[in-house]
Amino acid sequence: RPTATSSPTATPYPAVIEVPGGAMILIPGGTFQMGASAADLTAECNKFRDGCQEAWFAASEPVHTVSTGAYYLDSHEVTNEAFLVFLNELGRGTLCLEQPCLEADQSEIDAHNGGYGVETEAAREPVAGVTWYGAAAYCAWRGGRLPSEAEWEKGAAWDLSTAVARRYPWGNEFDGNVVNFCDAACDEPQANGDFNDGFPAVAPVASIAGGVSPSGLFDMAGNLWEWVGDWYDLSYYANSPEDTPPGPADGTEKVVRGGSWFDSGNFMASTIRFPSAPDNSDFTIGFRCAADLP
């Protein structure tokens, strides 16, 4: 279970709690503005690439008011070494929520001596190739859960001090120096040669301090897309409840957030939401966990 390390003055709950593999940050309760207009996201997209379409971003509108209670959110994405402990406790061949936990071909974690292993240099990199089921099972094993979309976006973009949602975790203007996206180090056609972070793919978690969110969270943009708990519905925001929106009751696809090392810069915007089948175990998708207050 989480272990308290410090106590803020304005709340009985600690601002930071230790968890296996890292720490969690307290996100205060309250209202915030969620979403963005598809037109604005398309205009931003056009700065980076040709052929942008409003339909890509229709799921992010309309802007609407959302209220959440307080909760904890991982300060960085779950690492290979942290997920490895979970897998080895389960044992080889064990399923996550009756589904595969991850796809080794999409991950740096390999079968090793009857269990699982990872190369030392990849231990602190975020785990990729994990299905939604694997992510949800890991968070539950650790005493938490996947964040809701609302919780994820609030942690990524909402600046409590100014009561304004940022376009990107660090601010309203793109800055390729503070995010691991597809820059000159990325060997893909969409690479942006104006920036070079030296990472051809994923970076070790919390490597780029300049891109932290207003809540102090690392890599809420870039590195890996992140699973959230919600089912995907393109039109959900039009009828979303204001108070602690739970997401659709069911669906066929889950939501991923935040962009990855493989993507052009505009996809780092905190309001962008895309669908992904829950059994997808792509090398560009990872996750972080949330937890309710004790």
Side-chain angles (χ1 to χ4, degrees), residues 189-202:
Q190 64 272 23
N192 183 331
D194 294 337
F195 303 95
N196 190 340
D197 59 17
F199 299 110
V202 292

Side-chain angles (χ1 to χ4, degrees), residues 233-244:
D233 178 352
L234 185 150
S235 303
Y236 182 69
Y237 283 7
N239 300 296
S240 172
E242 178 176 327
D243 187 24
T244 315

